Amino acid sequence: MNVVMLGPPGAGKGTQAVRLAGLYGIPHISTGDIFRENVREGTELGRRAREYMERGELVPDELVIEIVADRLSREDCRSGFILDGFPRTVAQAEALKDMLAERGRSLDHAVNVEVPEEVLVKRISGRRTCRECGANYNVHFDEEGPGEACRECGGEIYQREDDLEETVRRRLREYRAKTAPLIDHYRSEGLLRQVDGNAPPDEVLRAIKNALEGSGAAG
Ligand code: AP5
C-alpha cells in the first residue's frame, strides 16, 4: 500500500503515520525526521536544510526530491510506504508520480488530516519530541505528560526549534500557499481520502483505516 499523509503542521500526520506503519508492516518515511537527523549529525544536507527549517520555510524541492527518491529505492519499500511530510508542493507530487512510475508503481491513497487552526496551534505549542527516536508527546493532550525521558527509548525530551510561535505562523502560511493546493491535485486524481483529525488519536486511526480499506468517504 503506497500512501501519502497530507495536512497542516500539527494535524497529527506523524502520530498517525507511525501507527499505520506498524499496522500494515510498511516503513514510515518522514522528510522532517530525515532533515532533523541530518541537522543533528551536522551533515551537508543538514546544514543546507537548517536555514529554511529555522525560518519556517519549505526546503527547496530539489533537495527533498533527491532524498525521497533514494529512500523509496530501498528494499523495505517494496510492499509499500507511508510518506509523512512529502509531497508538499505540486512539483514534489509530480516528481513522486514519476519516481513511482519508473518502478511500475503508483500511489494508492492521499490521506488529508483536517484539524481547525486553533487546535493546530495548541497541539504544536504543547508538543515535546524525543531527540533520539522522534516520538511525540504533548503537554496538553497526554494524560501521563511528556516526562523527562522518552517512554519508547529513554532519550532526551525537547521542544523543536521550529515549534516557537512566530515560526509556527510562518509554517502555516507556507502550508496554505504551497501545500494546500495538493488537496485539489489529489482529488482530481481520485486519490484523496478526507479524515477528521480533531478527535482522539485512536479514533483518527480508525477513520484513516476505514478510508484506506474502503469503508470511508473519499474526498
Ligand atoms: P515536518 O517535520 O514534516 O513538520 P510539519 O509538517 O510541520 O508537521 P508536524 O511535525 O509539525 O506535525 P504533524 O502533522 O506530524 O503532527 P504530530 O503528529 O507531530 O517538517 C518540518 C520542516 O522540515 C518543514 O517546516 C520544512 O522546513 C522541512 N520539510 C519537511 N518536509 C519537507 C518537504 N517535503 N518539502 C520541503 N520542506 C520540507 O502532532 C502534533 C502534536 O499534536 C504532537 O504533540 C502530538 O502528540 C499531538 N497530537 C497528534 N494527534 C493528536 C490528536 N488526535 N489529539 C491530540 N493531540 C494530538
PDB file of all heavy atoms in Angstrom, residues 128-133 135 137-139 142 144-159:
ATOM      1  N   ARG A 128       6.203  17.951  22.605  1.00  0.00           N
ATOM      2  CA  ARG A 128       7.574  17.679  23.035  1.00  0.00           C
ATOM      3  C   ARG A 128       8.001  16.407  22.294  1.00  0.00           C
ATOM      4  O   ARG A 128       7.209  15.489  22.116  1.00  0.00           O
ATOM      5  CB  ARG A 128       7.663  17.464  24.549  1.00  0.00           C
ATOM      6  CG  ARG A 128       7.206  18.661  25.385  1.00  0.00           C
ATOM      7  CD  ARG A 128       8.101  19.893  25.209  1.00  0.00           C
ATOM      8  NE  ARG A 128       7.633  21.020  26.017  1.00  0.00           N
ATOM      9  CZ  ARG A 128       6.752  21.930  25.604  1.00  0.00           C
ATOM     10  NH1 ARG A 128       6.237  21.870  24.376  1.00  0.00           N
ATOM     11  NH2 ARG A 128       6.374  22.912  26.402  1.00  0.00           N
ATOM     12  N   THR A 129       9.265  16.390  21.876  1.00  0.00           N
ATOM     13  CA  THR A 129       9.745  15.349  20.961  1.00  0.00           C
ATOM     14  C   THR A 129      10.969  14.668  21.556  1.00  0.00           C
ATOM     15  O   THR A 129      11.766  15.307  22.249  1.00  0.00           O
ATOM     16  CB  THR A 129      10.099  16.014  19.607  1.00  0.00           C
ATOM     17  OG1 THR A 129       8.936  16.706  19.123  1.00  0.00           O
ATOM     18  CG2 THR A 129      10.538  15.017  18.559  1.00  0.00           C
ATOM     19  N   CYS A 130      11.136  13.385  21.257  1.00  0.00           N
ATOM     20  CA  CYS A 130      12.343  12.681  21.702  1.00  0.00           C
ATOM     21  C   CYS A 130      13.484  12.967  20.723  1.00  0.00           C
ATOM     22  O   CYS A 130      13.329  12.790  19.514  1.00  0.00           O
ATOM     23  CB  CYS A 130      12.091  11.181  21.767  1.00  0.00           C
ATOM     24  SG  CYS A 130      13.615  10.263  22.093  1.00  0.00           S
ATOM     25  N   ARG A 131      14.604  13.419  21.262  1.00  0.00           N
ATOM     26  CA  ARG A 131      15.753  13.747  20.421  1.00  0.00           C
ATOM     27  C   ARG A 131      16.338  12.510  19.746  1.00  0.00           C
ATOM     28  O   ARG A 131      16.921  12.590  18.675  1.00  0.00           O
ATOM     29  CB  ARG A 131      16.838  14.400  21.278  1.00  0.00           C
ATOM     30  CG  ARG A 131      17.526  15.549  20.588  1.00  0.00           C
ATOM     31  CD  ARG A 131      18.596  16.152  21.449  1.00  0.00           C
ATOM     32  NE  ARG A 131      18.188  17.333  22.167  1.00  0.00           N
ATOM     33  CZ  ARG A 131      17.986  18.534  21.609  1.00  0.00           C
ATOM     34  NH1 ARG A 131      18.156  18.697  20.328  1.00  0.00           N
ATOM     35  NH2 ARG A 131      17.623  19.558  22.337  1.00  0.00           N
ATOM     36  N   GLU A 132      16.136  11.336  20.357  1.00  0.00           N
ATOM     37  CA  GLU A 132      16.737  10.117  19.805  1.00  0.00           C
ATOM     38  C   GLU A 132      15.844   9.466  18.748  1.00  0.00           C
ATOM     39  O   GLU A 132      16.280   9.221  17.635  1.00  0.00           O
ATOM     40  CB  GLU A 132      16.988   9.091  20.933  1.00  0.00           C
ATOM     41  CG  GLU A 132      17.914   9.574  22.031  1.00  0.00           C
ATOM     42  CD  GLU A 132      19.266  10.030  21.482  1.00  0.00           C
ATOM     43  OE1 GLU A 132      19.806   9.337  20.604  1.00  0.00           O
ATOM     44  OE2 GLU A 132      19.759  11.079  21.933  1.00  0.00           O
ATOM     45  N   CYS A 133      14.580   9.147  19.120  1.00  0.00           N
ATOM     46  CA  CYS A 133      13.754   8.343  18.200  1.00  0.00           C
ATOM     47  C   CYS A 133      12.638   9.151  17.534  1.00  0.00           C
ATOM     48  O   CYS A 133      11.920   8.627  16.687  1.00  0.00           O
ATOM     49  CB  CYS A 133      13.161   7.130  18.926  1.00  0.00           C
ATOM     50  SG  CYS A 133      11.838   7.536  20.076  1.00  0.00           S
ATOM     51  N   ALA A 135       9.841  10.247  18.842  1.00  0.00           N
ATOM     52  CA  ALA A 135       8.483  10.037  19.384  1.00  0.00           C
ATOM     53  C   ALA A 135       7.920  11.381  19.867  1.00  0.00           C
ATOM     54  O   ALA A 135       8.663  12.216  20.388  1.00  0.00           O
ATOM     55  CB  ALA A 135       8.523   9.039  20.538  1.00  0.00           C
ATOM     56  N   TYR A 137       5.138  13.697  22.137  1.00  0.00           N
ATOM     57  CA  TYR A 137       4.284  13.764  23.321  1.00  0.00           C
ATOM     58  C   TYR A 137       3.645  15.137  23.329  1.00  0.00           C
ATOM     59  O   TYR A 137       4.028  16.007  22.553  1.00  0.00           O
ATOM     60  CB  TYR A 137       5.124  13.560  24.590  1.00  0.00           C
ATOM     61  CG  TYR A 137       5.846  12.227  24.590  1.00  0.00           C
ATOM     62  CD1 TYR A 137       7.172  12.140  24.165  1.00  0.00           C
ATOM     63  CD2 TYR A 137       5.191  11.076  24.974  1.00  0.00           C
ATOM     64  CE1 TYR A 137       7.822  10.922  24.132  1.00  0.00           C
ATOM     65  CE2 TYR A 137       5.833   9.851  24.955  1.00  0.00           C
ATOM     66  CZ  TYR A 137       7.153   9.774  24.525  1.00  0.00           C
ATOM     67  OH  TYR A 137       7.793   8.569  24.498  1.00  0.00           O
ATOM     68  N   ASN A 138       2.667  15.339  24.253  1.00  0.00           N
ATOM     69  CA  ASN A 138       2.034  16.645  24.299  1.00  0.00           C
ATOM     70  C   ASN A 138       1.658  17.036  25.722  1.00  0.00           C
ATOM     71  O   ASN A 138       1.003  16.260  26.413  1.00  0.00           O
ATOM     72  CB  ASN A 138       0.800  16.652  23.391  1.00  0.00           C
ATOM     73  CG  ASN A 138       0.413  18.051  22.992  1.00  0.00           C
ATOM     74  OD1 ASN A 138      -0.059  18.825  23.811  1.00  0.00           O
ATOM     75  ND2 ASN A 138       0.672  18.398  21.738  1.00  0.00           N
ATOM     76  N   VAL A 139       2.071  18.236  26.112  1.00  0.00           N
ATOM     77  CA  VAL A 139       1.788  18.670  27.484  1.00  0.00           C
ATOM     78  C   VAL A 139       0.295  18.921  27.692  1.00  0.00           C
ATOM     79  O   VAL A 139      -0.197  18.798  28.803  1.00  0.00           O
ATOM     80  CB  VAL A 139       2.591  19.940  27.891  1.00  0.00           C
ATOM     81  CG1 VAL A 139       4.077  19.690  27.873  1.00  0.00           C
ATOM     82  CG2 VAL A 139       2.262  21.118  26.981  1.00  0.00           C
ATOM     83  N   ASP A 142      -1.552  14.639  26.479  1.00  0.00           N
ATOM     84  CA  ASP A 142      -1.162  13.319  27.006  1.00  0.00           C
ATOM     85  C   ASP A 142      -1.489  13.236  28.488  1.00  0.00           C
ATOM     86  O   ASP A 142      -1.024  14.074  29.262  1.00  0.00           O
ATOM     87  CB  ASP A 142       0.356  13.090  26.867  1.00  0.00           C
ATOM     88  CG  ASP A 142       0.742  12.821  25.432  1.00  0.00           C
ATOM     89  OD1 ASP A 142      -0.162  12.538  24.637  1.00  0.00           O
ATOM     90  OD2 ASP A 142       1.947  12.910  25.123  1.00  0.00           O
ATOM     91  N   GLU A 144      -0.389  11.203  30.716  1.00  0.00           N
ATOM     92  CA  GLU A 144       0.826  10.998  31.535  1.00  0.00           C
ATOM     93  C   GLU A 144       1.797  12.174  31.425  1.00  0.00           C
ATOM     94  O   GLU A 144       2.758  12.245  32.180  1.00  0.00           O
ATOM     95  CB  GLU A 144       1.575   9.744  31.076  1.00  0.00           C
ATOM     96  CG  GLU A 144       0.796   8.465  31.271  1.00  0.00           C
ATOM     97  CD  GLU A 144       1.560   7.284  30.688  1.00  0.00           C
ATOM     98  OE1 GLU A 144       2.650   6.961  31.191  1.00  0.00           O
ATOM     99  OE2 GLU A 144       1.075   6.695  29.707  1.00  0.00           O
ATOM    100  N   GLY A 145       1.575  13.075  30.451  1.00  0.00           N
ATOM    101  CA  GLY A 145       2.518  14.172  30.227  1.00  0.00           C
ATOM    102  C   GLY A 145       3.769  13.650  29.542  1.00  0.00           C
ATOM    103  O   GLY A 145       3.982  12.432  29.479  1.00  0.00           O
ATOM    104  N   PRO A 146       4.618  14.544  29.008  1.00  0.00           N
ATOM    105  CA  PRO A 146       5.797  14.072  28.273  1.00  0.00           C
ATOM    106  C   PRO A 146       6.893  13.487  29.158  1.00  0.00           C
ATOM    107  O   PRO A 146       7.671  12.656  28.711  1.00  0.00           O
ATOM    108  CB  PRO A 146       6.304  15.324  27.554  1.00  0.00           C
ATOM    109  CG  PRO A 146       5.584  16.479  28.126  1.00  0.00           C
ATOM    110  CD  PRO A 146       4.449  15.998  28.962  1.00  0.00           C
ATOM    111  N   GLY A 147       6.966  13.912  30.429  1.00  0.00           N
ATOM    112  CA  GLY A 147       8.037  13.418  31.297  1.00  0.00           C
ATOM    113  C   GLY A 147       9.391  13.939  30.848  1.00  0.00           C
ATOM    114  O   GLY A 147       9.483  14.770  29.933  1.00  0.00           O
ATOM    115  N   GLU A 148      10.455  13.457  31.476  1.00  0.00           N
ATOM    116  CA  GLU A 148      11.792  13.952  31.120  1.00  0.00           C
ATOM    117  C   GLU A 148      12.525  13.017  30.177  1.00  0.00           C
ATOM    118  O   GLU A 148      13.453  13.410  29.484  1.00  0.00           O
ATOM    119  CB  GLU A 148      12.614  14.161  32.398  1.00  0.00           C
ATOM    120  CG  GLU A 148      12.169  15.449  33.082  1.00  0.00           C
ATOM    121  CD  GLU A 148      12.854  15.714  34.378  1.00  0.00           C
ATOM    122  OE1 GLU A 148      13.856  15.021  34.666  1.00  0.00           O
ATOM    123  OE2 GLU A 148      12.379  16.597  35.095  1.00  0.00           O
ATOM    124  N   ALA A 149      12.113  11.739  30.180  1.00  0.00           N
ATOM    125  CA  ALA A 149      12.771  10.769  29.289  1.00  0.00           C
ATOM    126  C   ALA A 149      11.706  10.107  28.423  1.00  0.00           C
ATOM    127  O   ALA A 149      10.561   9.918  28.848  1.00  0.00           O
ATOM    128  CB  ALA A 149      13.506   9.723  30.119  1.00  0.00           C
ATOM    129  N   CYS A 150      12.091   9.778  27.189  1.00  0.00           N
ATOM    130  CA  CYS A 150      11.158   9.165  26.233  1.00  0.00           C
ATOM    131  C   CYS A 150      10.687   7.804  26.748  1.00  0.00           C
ATOM    132  O   CYS A 150      11.492   6.981  27.177  1.00  0.00           O
ATOM    133  CB  CYS A 150      11.870   8.999  24.890  1.00  0.00           C
ATOM    134  SG  CYS A 150      10.892   8.144  23.652  1.00  0.00           S
ATOM    135  N   ARG A 151       9.360   7.565  26.650  1.00  0.00           N
ATOM    136  CA  ARG A 151       8.830   6.270  27.106  1.00  0.00           C
ATOM    137  C   ARG A 151       9.160   5.150  26.123  1.00  0.00           C
ATOM    138  O   ARG A 151       9.063   3.982  26.449  1.00  0.00           O
ATOM    139  CB  ARG A 151       7.313   6.373  27.318  1.00  0.00           C
ATOM    140  CG  ARG A 151       6.940   7.221  28.536  1.00  0.00           C
ATOM    141  CD  ARG A 151       5.496   7.000  28.955  1.00  0.00           C
ATOM    142  NE  ARG A 151       4.552   7.677  28.089  1.00  0.00           N
ATOM    143  CZ  ARG A 151       4.216   8.979  28.195  1.00  0.00           C
ATOM    144  NH1 ARG A 151       4.752   9.719  29.142  1.00  0.00           N
ATOM    145  NH2 ARG A 151       3.338   9.514  27.377  1.00  0.00           N
ATOM    146  N   GLU A 152       9.533   5.506  24.884  1.00  0.00           N
ATOM    147  CA  GLU A 152       9.888   4.475  23.897  1.00  0.00           C
ATOM    148  C   GLU A 152      11.337   4.034  24.048  1.00  0.00           C
ATOM    149  O   GLU A 152      11.651   2.856  23.980  1.00  0.00           O
ATOM    150  CB  GLU A 152       9.711   5.008  22.464  1.00  0.00           C
ATOM    151  CG  GLU A 152       8.324   5.528  22.130  1.00  0.00           C
ATOM    152  CD  GLU A 152       7.302   4.411  22.058  1.00  0.00           C
ATOM    153  OE1 GLU A 152       7.674   3.295  21.670  1.00  0.00           O
ATOM    154  OE2 GLU A 152       6.133   4.680  22.425  1.00  0.00           O
ATOM    155  N   CYS A 153      12.265   5.025  24.219  1.00  0.00           N
ATOM    156  CA  CYS A 153      13.689   4.664  24.139  1.00  0.00           C
ATOM    157  C   CYS A 153      14.543   5.274  25.253  1.00  0.00           C
ATOM    158  O   CYS A 153      15.754   5.048  25.284  1.00  0.00           O
ATOM    159  CB  CYS A 153      14.253   5.078  22.768  1.00  0.00           C
ATOM    160  SG  CYS A 153      14.519   6.856  22.622  1.00  0.00           S
ATOM    161  N   GLY A 154      13.917   6.077  26.129  1.00  0.00           N
ATOM    162  CA  GLY A 154      14.702   6.678  27.225  1.00  0.00           C
ATOM    163  C   GLY A 154      15.453   7.939  26.810  1.00  0.00           C
ATOM    164  O   GLY A 154      16.166   8.536  27.624  1.00  0.00           O
ATOM    165  N   GLY A 155      15.301   8.373  25.534  1.00  0.00           N
ATOM    166  CA  GLY A 155      16.026   9.555  25.032  1.00  0.00           C
ATOM    167  C   GLY A 155      15.541  10.855  25.669  1.00  0.00           C
ATOM    168  O   GLY A 155      14.496  10.900  26.331  1.00  0.00           O
ATOM    169  N   GLU A 156      16.318  11.920  25.388  1.00  0.00           N
ATOM    170  CA  GLU A 156      16.004  13.231  25.963  1.00  0.00           C
ATOM    171  C   GLU A 156      14.777  13.855  25.271  1.00  0.00           C
ATOM    172  O   GLU A 156      14.651  13.801  24.050  1.00  0.00           O
ATOM    173  CB  GLU A 156      17.218  14.159  25.758  1.00  0.00           C
ATOM    174  CG  GLU A 156      17.049  15.537  26.332  1.00  0.00           C
ATOM    175  CD  GLU A 156      18.032  16.547  25.713  1.00  0.00           C
ATOM    176  OE1 GLU A 156      18.947  16.112  24.980  1.00  0.00           O
ATOM    177  OE2 GLU A 156      17.856  17.736  25.939  1.00  0.00           O
ATOM    178  N   ILE A 157      13.895  14.459  26.064  1.00  0.00           N
ATOM    179  CA  ILE A 157      12.705  15.122  25.520  1.00  0.00           C
ATOM    180  C   ILE A 157      13.010  16.616  25.346  1.00  0.00           C
ATOM    181  O   ILE A 157      13.552  17.240  26.251  1.00  0.00           O
ATOM    182  CB  ILE A 157      11.518  14.966  26.511  1.00  0.00           C
ATOM    183  CG1 ILE A 157      11.171  13.489  26.727  1.00  0.00           C
ATOM    184  CG2 ILE A 157      10.300  15.744  26.033  1.00  0.00           C
ATOM    185  CD1 ILE A 157      10.647  12.774  25.506  1.00  0.00           C
ATOM    186  N   TYR A 158      12.666  17.176  24.173  1.00  0.00           N
ATOM    187  CA  TYR A 158      12.927  18.594  23.949  1.00  0.00           C
ATOM    188  C   TYR A 158      11.787  19.216  23.139  1.00  0.00           C
ATOM    189  O   TYR A 158      10.913  18.499  22.634  1.00  0.00           O
ATOM    190  CB  TYR A 158      14.271  18.790  23.228  1.00  0.00           C
ATOM    191  CG  TYR A 158      14.229  18.575  21.721  1.00  0.00           C
ATOM    192  CD1 TYR A 158      14.542  19.609  20.851  1.00  0.00           C
ATOM    193  CD2 TYR A 158      13.864  17.349  21.166  1.00  0.00           C
ATOM    194  CE1 TYR A 158      14.502  19.437  19.465  1.00  0.00           C
ATOM    195  CE2 TYR A 158      13.826  17.173  19.792  1.00  0.00           C
ATOM    196  CZ  TYR A 158      14.142  18.213  18.958  1.00  0.00           C
ATOM    197  OH  TYR A 158      14.088  18.034  17.594  1.00  0.00           O
ATOM    198  N   GLN A 159      11.818  20.568  23.031  1.00  0.00           N
ATOM    199  CA  GLN A 159      10.849  21.252  22.183  1.00  0.00           C
ATOM    200  C   GLN A 159      11.523  21.618  20.870  1.00  0.00           C
ATOM    201  O   GLN A 159      12.596  22.237  20.877  1.00  0.00           O
ATOM    202  CB  GLN A 159      10.329  22.529  22.870  1.00  0.00           C
ATOM    203  CG  GLN A 159       9.257  23.218  22.028  1.00  0.00           C
ATOM    204  CD  GLN A 159       8.542  24.349  22.754  1.00  0.00           C
ATOM    205  OE1 GLN A 159       9.086  24.937  23.680  1.00  0.00           O
ATOM    206  NE2 GLN A 159       7.334  24.650  22.324  1.00  0.00           N
TER     207      GLN A 159
END
